[in-house]
């Protein structure tokens, strides 16, 4: 009788909660681990799941359940979207190559309920027509597009509710700006920002009314004269094309009401001469009041960057013991090759330590500002890590149970950076030089560089209290895969080779692998439908979903 | 001289863009479409991924002149070839495509049924006829039936025929739109889009699920049920599954002639784009 009552109450709860994804549900996403409600699973972006059906003992019995194929993608575009799962329905978006296709599908079988298609206007993108995924609130989905539209869809039917063009500063032509980011939703606002750091944009973060699409606030990543931080932009009007793009998802702390974004490189990328100074708030993490967009604090990882070290990594929020006391921190593995721990209430610098070979800096001053060791030159200079960084946009993960922070890394990578003079022209790549790339920026069918020759990928487990590496799982090729970790001591990750791995979160031991035949370029998720746990990962042109053999 | 040429060019573009074609000319544009375009694009103009010729929106063109330019010059590197049409032919072909687009100014020729009062029609829709218990207009009403936000817009051709035979669907007019809505009200089972069919499933334990069929394959069915839930049913779990009569009643005996006219008057004003 008790069992029946419990089952009835459970079903009732499922039925009641199946209606709307309230912001309260998203805030408490860890209490419904069968769903995946945001990019990182929760707004802290730990990408950590409490589902416990798949364990280190049985993960070897994972079996493919279904595949969703993307119709077509051009050469540099990757399937980067993290899907969402709400009560048995999965939502994801295929990259705009040429059209976006948002789909709602049965998360257990992969069969499609509806499809929404949008063909964006022409837009300049440096590195593929990519998209990181959707956001959901209430019964609406939100999509930010490469022609800087913000689109709201009815999650039940795929019908468009609004489709607004977001205006950008008039520093170039409109197509220099593009949205590739997952929108961040905080209560009644949808928050986005533009990519385009290679085209002389002036970055911003802007919030829109989730019901109407009306703009509510805007924060300029590159401050204008009269705003604090503009004094870090020497040269004539260099701030106008200062870059500071936004192209990876944000994190949110509800107690502090702060939304955290990593910001992109300054413009021009590889020549800092036209912009003397630190170039705030490029290559930084910014903490904005979610209601007003006002800057609460910032930390700049790479002042006056000349090596394209975008700080567009996913900030991971964790409550850990720090020097014997509990502390609300942010864990940040940066493209510049250093792992950071910051106090997320104040921005105080707590720790910075290389997690890969680093030569661009030699240490920190008393305030936590890096001491620059090399300058860009017109004849070329080799710098570690290389242009693609020690890590990049692919998400890390934090497992409170093991206490470890898992980072996808590029090991032993370097580039020779060369600067050149370049005048800003709207619509023209505004990079100010170039770099050598010892491996391609996207996957190819063959790869012949051995570990001894440098350039290989890895999953690294870091102890956030010290920055020390606890274990490393090496891959022959570099990786663009995000990481998922679970309460059952599992780590899931992939790589360019096309393998998808399950590792033991405690020691990095390989527990299971499968070959998916295409580059993994998104982060895995896990969810459950009718009591069965699934794991999904995109590779090449497909989204692959696994569960234990029955 | 160069300025004069530019001026003449702009003037000709303006004249071209503003050219109003007669219904007969637009119908001739339909015949050109049928005999030249449907081999790749299909009769509904939506068979090439990312291209919806009758949506009024084009990825590579922002106005009629640019659409005409694509038709005459083709798109290098794609299967879209150049067509050797005159300016008049290109113009009526573009006009035909646009006649199906949201916001199209449709001709009012034909036998238009008498239309009643729009305000009364809205009240009837929301109260006596109770349309919103199944249908949705904007953000109001149920999602279980077809969305009526754009009920007054031209409907794209239902058939997705590929090839160069047959008669092209005629350009819509106000009369054809109203006649279609009237038919929907009086005889709802007569013409139901495959996307709007209601199916009934009997499970092995005898329980019944009904809903709008969204998708199916060899092993499963996808439905939206009466509670707006997205469901997947396994064929193996079902005793029966098949289409049922439309749950929409005929309003022939439920509304007076005047009320139907009022309701039609309101429905034809609903021109919100449903994407």
């Amino acid at each position: 009788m008790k069992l029946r009552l419990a089952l009835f109450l459970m079903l009732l709860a499922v039925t009641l909660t199946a209606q709307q994804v309230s912001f309260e549900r998203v805030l408490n996403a860890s209490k419904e681990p069968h769903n995946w409600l945001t990019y990182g699973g929760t707004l802290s972006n730990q990408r950590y799941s409490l589902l416990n059906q798949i364990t280190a003992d049985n993960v070897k019995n994972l079996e493919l359940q279904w595949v969703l194929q993307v119709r077509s993608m051009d050469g540099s575009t990757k399937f980067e979207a993290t899907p969402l799962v709400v009560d048995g329905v999965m939502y994801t978006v295929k990259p705009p190559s040429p059209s976006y296709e948002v789909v709602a599908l049965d998360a257990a079988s992969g069969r499609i309920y509806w499809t929404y298609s949008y063909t964006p206007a022409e837009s300049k993108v440096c590195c593929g027509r990519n998209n990181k995924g959707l956001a959901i609130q209430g019964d609406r989905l939100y999509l930010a597009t490469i022609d800087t539209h913000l689109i709201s869809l009815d999650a039940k039917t795929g019908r468009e509710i609004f489709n607004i063009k977001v205006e950008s500063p008039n520093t170039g032509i409109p197509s220099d700006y593009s949205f590739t980011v997952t929108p961040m939703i905080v209560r009644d606002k949808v928050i986005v920002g533009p990519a385009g750091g290679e085209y002389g944009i002036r970055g911003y973060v802007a919030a829109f009314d989730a019901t109407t699409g009306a703009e509510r606030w805007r924060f300029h990543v590159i401050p204008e004269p009269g705003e604090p931080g503009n004094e870090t932009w020497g040269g004539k009007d260099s701030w106008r094309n200062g870059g500071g793009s936004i192209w990876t998802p944000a994190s949110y702390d509800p107690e502090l009401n702060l939304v955290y974004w990593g910001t992109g490189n300054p413009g021009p990328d590889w020549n800092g001469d036209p912009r003397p100074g630190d170039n705030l708030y490029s290559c930084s993490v910014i903490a904005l009041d979610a209601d007003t967009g006002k800057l609460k604090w910032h930390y700049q990882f790479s002042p006056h960057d000349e090596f394209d070290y975008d700080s567009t990594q996913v900030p991971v929020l964790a409550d850990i013991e720090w020097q014997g006391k509990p502390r609300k921190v942010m864990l940040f593995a940066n493209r510049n090759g250093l792992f950071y721990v910051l106090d997320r209430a104040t921005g105080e610098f707590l720790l910075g330590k290389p997690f890969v070979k680093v030569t661009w800096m030699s240490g920190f001053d008393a305030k936590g500002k890096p001491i620059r060791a090399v300058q860009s030159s017109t004849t070329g200079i080799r710098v570690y890590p290389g242009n693609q960084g020690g890590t990049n946009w692919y998400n890390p993960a934090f497992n409170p149970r093991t206490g470890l922070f898992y980072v996808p890394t590029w090991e032993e990578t370097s580039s020779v950076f060369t600067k050149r003079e370049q005048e800003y022209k709207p619509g023209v790549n505004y990079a100010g030089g170039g770099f050598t790339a010892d491996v391609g920026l996207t996957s190819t069918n063959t790869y012949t560089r051995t570990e001894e020759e440098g350039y290989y990928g890895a999953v690294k487990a870091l102890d956030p209290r010290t920055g020390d590496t606890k274990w490393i799982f090496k891959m022959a090729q570099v990786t663009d895969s995000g990481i998922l970790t679970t309460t059952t001591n599992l780590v899931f990750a992939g790589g360019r080779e096309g393998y998808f791995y399950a590792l033991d979160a405690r020691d990095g031991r390989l527990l299971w692998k499968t070959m998916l035949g295409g580059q993994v370029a998104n982060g895995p998720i896990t969810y459950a439908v009718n009591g069965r746990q699934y794991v999904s990962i995109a590779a090449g042109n497909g989204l692959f979903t696994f569960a234990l053999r029955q | 001289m160069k300025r004069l040429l530019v001026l003449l060019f702009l003037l000709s573009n303006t004249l071209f863009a503003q050219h109003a074609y007669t219904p007969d000319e637009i119908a001739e544009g339909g015949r050109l479409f049928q005999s030249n375009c449907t081999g790749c694009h299909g009769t509904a103009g939506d068979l090439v991924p990312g291209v919806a010729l009758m949506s009024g929106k084009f990825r590579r063109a922002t106005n009629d002149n640019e659409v005409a330019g694509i038709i005459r010059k083709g798109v290098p590197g794609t299967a879209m070839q150049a067509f050797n049409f005159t300016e008049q032919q290109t113009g009526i072909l573009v006009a035909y495509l646009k006649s199906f687009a949201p916001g199209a100014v449709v001709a009012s020729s034909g036998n238009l049924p008498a239309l009643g009062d729009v305000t009364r029609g809205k009240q009837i829709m929301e109260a006596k006829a109770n349309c919103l218990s199944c249908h949705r207009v904007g953000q109001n009403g149920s999602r279980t039936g077809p969305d009526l936000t754009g009920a007054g817009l031209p409907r794209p051709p239902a058939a997705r025929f590929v090839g160069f035979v047959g008669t092209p669907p005629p350009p819509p007019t106000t009369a054809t739109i109203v006649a279609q809505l009237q038919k929907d009200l009086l005889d709802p089972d007569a013409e139901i889009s495959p996307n709007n069919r209601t199916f009934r499933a009997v499970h092995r334990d005898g329980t019944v699920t009904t809903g709008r069929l969204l998708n199916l394959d060899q092993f499963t069915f996808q439905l939206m049920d009466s509670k707006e839930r997205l469901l997947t049913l396994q064929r193996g779990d079902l005793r029966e599954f098949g289409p049922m009569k439309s749950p929409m009643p005929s309003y022939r005996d439920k509304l007076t002639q005047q009320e139907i006219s009022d309701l039609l008057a309101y429905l034809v004003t609903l021109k919100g784009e449903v994407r």
Side-chain angles (χ1 to χ4, degrees):
Chain A
M1 181 59 198
K2 273 185 182 169
L3 182 66
R4 278 194 188 169
L5 181 65
L7 278 173
F8 172 75
L9 288 174
M10 201 169 82
L11 283 172
L12 186 68
V14 168
T15 309
L16 289 175
T17 56
Q19 301 303 316
Q20 298 268 327
V21 182
S22 64
F23 186 59
E24 283 63 38
R25 272 184 80 183
V26 174
L27 285 177
N28 295 293
S30 59
K31 292 181 181 162
E32 41 182 304
H34 59 287
N35 288 326
W36 196 269
L37 300 180
T38 64
Y39 177 82
T42 63
L43 293 173
S44 63
N45 272 321
Q46 292 184 356
R47 211 170 274 241
Y48 168 70
S49 173
L50 292 169
L51 290 179
N52 57 14
Q53 192 172 78
I54 302 171
T55 68
D57 288 334
N58 65 21
V59 69
K60 62 180 182 291
N61 297 323
L62 279 182
E63 197 171 72
L64 184 65
Q65 302 299 305
W66 55 264
V67 182
L68 175 74
Q69 289 284 352
V70 174
R71 192 158 49 197
S72 67
M73 291 199 296
D74 66 38
S76 56
T77 299
K78 300 176 287 297
F79 196 179
E80 296 182 353
T82 287
L84 304 175
V85 178
V86 184
D87 304 324
V89 180
M90 177 183 283
Y91 303 97
T92 193
V93 55
K94 303 175 184 179
S97 188
S99 302
Y100 289 95
E101 280 189 16
V102 179
V103 292
L105 49 85
D106 176 39
S109 68
R111 294 297 299 166
I112 290 174
Y113 291 116
W114 56 253
T115 301
Y116 163 86
S117 181
Y118 174 70
T119 306
E122 290 296 336
S123 183
K124 288 197 166 54
V125 286
C126 71
C127 318
R129 298 164 65 86
N130 300 320
N131 183 276
K132 304 289 187 299
L134 305 164
I136 189 165
Q137 173 141 293
D139 53 7
R140 293 185 178 197
L141 295 164
Y142 296 87
L143 168 69
T145 68
I146 57 168
D147 56 351
T148 65
H149 281 232
L150 179 62
I151 297 175
S152 174
L153 302 177
D154 186 323
K156 298 280 187 185
T157 62
R159 293 282 165 84
E160 196 175 275
I161 296 171
F162 65 70
N163 180 342
I164 57 159
K165 168 77 177 172
V166 176
E167 298 302 328
S168 297
N170 188 25
T171 57
I173 57 175
S175 63
D176 290 345
Y177 289 80
S178 55
F179 291 156
T180 61
V181 74
T182 305
M184 161 60 85
I185 300 177
V186 178
R187 285 183 289 281
D188 59 346
K189 295 183 184 67
V190 185
I191 311 171
V192 296
E198 277 63 56
Y199 293 96
I201 67 159
R202 182 181 171 217
Y204 59 86
V205 177
F208 300 86
D209 186 293
T211 305
T212 64
E215 185 166 328
R216 291 294 178 233
W217 55 253
R218 185 176 289 223
F219 172 79
H220 292 120
V221 175
I222 309 300
E224 61 194 18
E227 289 181 326
N230 181 264
E231 72 282 358
T232 65
W233 291 87
K236 187 175 183 298
D237 288 344
S238 60
W239 60 274
R240 287 186 186 279
N241 310 107
S245 55
I246 297 289
W247 51 280
T248 45
S251 305
Y252 175 70
D253 184 315
E255 288 175 18
L256 301 168
N257 195 34
L258 292 178
V259 60
Y260 305 98
W261 294 87
T263 66
N265 61 275
D269 298 41
W270 297 294
N271 186 356
D273 295 346
R275 47 176 172 82
D278 282 352
N279 307 140
L280 291 173
Y281 299 96
S282 67
C283 295
S284 301
V285 60
I286 50 176
L288 303 179
D289 182 293
D291 296 330
T292 64
K294 295 273 185 291
L295 181 70
K296 178 80 182 293
W297 59 259
H298 77 278
Y299 176 78
Q300 191 174 36
F301 299 100
S302 305
H304 192 69
D305 170 53
E306 294 178 296
F307 310 119
D308 201 13
Y309 291 154
D310 293 71
S311 292
T312 44
Q313 290 72 57
V314 182
V316 174
L317 313 185
D319 296 343
I320 63 172
E321 192 177 285
W322 185 259
Q323 295 175 350
K325 290 181 183 168
R327 194 146 189 180
K328 288 161 78 76
V329 301
M330 172 187 293
L331 309 177
F332 206 112
N334 197 285
R335 183 168 171 174
N336 70 12
L338 287 106
F339 166 70
Y340 297 83
V341 183
L342 305 176
D343 182 309
R344 71 173 184 270
T346 63
E348 182 186 344
F349 170 85
L350 301 177
L351 174 76
K353 188 169 184 175
F355 62 89
V356 292
K357 182 174 178 180
V358 167
T359 63
W360 68 271
M361 56 87 77
S362 57
F364 292 94
D365 70 13
K367 291 182 177 174
K369 186 175 178 179
I371 299 161
R372 183 78 166 264
V374 295
Q375 309 298 328
S376 187
S377 84
T378 52
T379 52
I381 182 165
R382 182 171 292 279
V383 180
Y384 285 79
N387 192 80
Q388 294 312 102
T391 188
N392 209 310
W393 59 268
Y394 10 94
N395 69 277
F398 175 69
N399 188 323
R401 190 160 175 201
T402 63
L404 296 177
F405 184 60
Y406 305 99
V407 187
T409 64
W410 284 32
E411 301 288 326
E412 299 295 327
T413 64
S414 63
S415 292
V416 175
F417 292 92
T418 308
K419 69 180 177 185
R420 71 175 173 87
E421 281 188 25
Q422 185 176 2
E423 196 178 326
Y424 169 72
K425 286 183 186 161
V428 177
N429 187 294
Y430 183 55
F435 66 97
T436 59
D438 288 351
V439 296
L441 303 186
T442 52
S443 179
T444 55
N445 289 331
T446 55
Y447 185 80
T448 53
R449 182 178 283 268
T450 65
E451 182 184 328
E452 292 71 28
E453 293 169 303
Y455 271 95
Y456 60 96
V459 174
K460 252 181 181 166
L462 306 182
D463 182 341
R465 292 167 301 181
T466 60
D468 292 344
T469 298
K470 287 297 175 187
W471 56 255
I472 179 168
F473 175 82
K474 293 179 180 176
M475 307 172 208
Q477 267 230 46
V478 293
T479 175
D480 308 278
S481 168
I483 295 175
L484 165 74
T485 186
T486 72
T487 190
T488 51
N489 291 324
L490 291 173
V491 160
F492 288 95
R496 278 199 184 173
E497 299 151 342
Y499 284 110
F500 182 48
Y501 302 104
L503 310 176
D504 191 310
R506 294 162 294 192
D507 55 18
R509 196 161 39 97
L510 176 66
L511 300 173
W512 171 80
K513 71 175 191 303
T514 186
M515 168 48 82
L516 301 178
Q519 174 181 7
V520 176
N522 82 343
I525 66 163
T526 187
Y527 59 91
V529 183
N530 295 327
R532 192 172 188 210
Q533 186 180 354
Y534 296 84
V535 177
S536 282
I537 183 72
N541 293 347
L543 178 70
F544 299 81
T545 294
F546 299 86
L548 294 176
R549 191 177 306 133
Q550 284 186 318
Chain B
M1 183 60 193
K2 195 174 169 187
R3 281 193 185 168
L4 181 65
L5 282 175
V6 169
L7 181 69
L8 285 172
F9 176 74
L10 287 172
L11 193 62
S12 68
N13 276 358
T14 310
L15 289 173
F16 184 83
Q18 291 178 348
H19 197 126
Y21 295 101
T22 66
D24 284 347
E25 286 174 318
I26 295 174
E28 175 59 23
R31 284 186 282 278
L32 281 174
F33 175 72
Q34 181 69 22
S35 53
N36 291 280
C37 311
T38 50
C40 295
H41 290 281
T43 45
D46 61 354
L47 285 185
V48 175
V51 181
L53 294 180
M54 289 166 173
S55 68
K57 290 181 180 170
F58 299 89
R59 186 173 166 221
R60 298 172 192 272
T62 54
N63 58 42
D64 292 2
N65 287 327
E66 290 175 5
V67 179
I70 290 171
I71 294 170
R72 283 209 291 259
K73 295 174 191 162
V75 180
T78 73
M80 177 66 193
Q81 65 181 81
F83 287 86
N84 188 22
F85 290 152
T86 65
E87 194 171 288
Q88 167 72 8
Q89 285 174 316
T90 320
I92 60 176
L93 176 47
V94 174
Y96 174 73
L97 297 177
K98 282 184 63 184
S99 71
F100 291 93
V105 180
V106 294
S108 57
S109 62
N111 298 318
L112 191 64
L115 293 177
D117 182 83
V118 173
T119 309
R120 282 204 309 267
K122 184 170 189 290
Q123 289 163 354
I124 291 163
M125 178 164 188
E126 291 168 358
K128 185 173 180 182
N130 198 21
C131 303
L132 298 183
S133 66
C134 295
H135 296 281
R136 197 164 177 86
V137 175
Q139 295 308 304
N140 299 315
S142 166
R143 300 170 175 90
T144 53
D147 194 315
L148 298 182
T149 305
L153 293 173
R155 293 185 198 183
R160 283 179 164 71
F161 185 78
V162 181
F164 301 123
V165 294
T167 310
T173 65
T174 308
T176 59
I177 293 169
V178 173
Q180 186 67 56
L181 288 169
Q182 189 174 35
K183 194 171 168 187
D184 294 340
L185 280 173
L186 302 181
D187 192 2
D189 259 324
E191 196 176 302
I192 300 179
S193 152
N195 295 335
N196 290 329
R197 288 181 301 164
T198 302
F199 271 61
R200 178 174 182 271
V202 182
H203 299 256
R204 294 215 173 274
D205 64 3
T207 55
V208 174
T209 302
T210 60
R212 187 154 54 92
L213 183 66
L214 303 176
N215 198 1
L216 62 79
D217 64 21
Q218 189 68 27
F219 305 101
T220 66
F221 299 103
Q222 282 71 39
L223 299 175
M224 175 183 278
D225 75 358
S226 55
K227 292 178 181 161
E228 298 186 347
R229 289 181 301 192
L230 298 172
L231 298 179
T232 289
L233 307 180
Q234 302 292 326
R235 286 187 194 233
D237 295 341
L238 305 177
R239 214 160 60 197
E240 288 173 37
F241 187 84
M244 54 183 275
K245 207 169 169 305
S246 168
M248 172 155 160
S250 167
Y251 283 86
R252 193 183 299 278
D253 302 321
K254 294 183 184 297
L255 298 177
T256 66
Q257 191 70 40
Q258 182 59 48
E259 287 170 331
I260 287 173
S261 296
D262 293 341
L263 189 50
L264 285 172
Y266 174 60
L267 285 170
V268 84
T269 68
L270 297 177
K271 294 189 174 178
E273 190 177 352
V274 180
R275 281 175 47 88

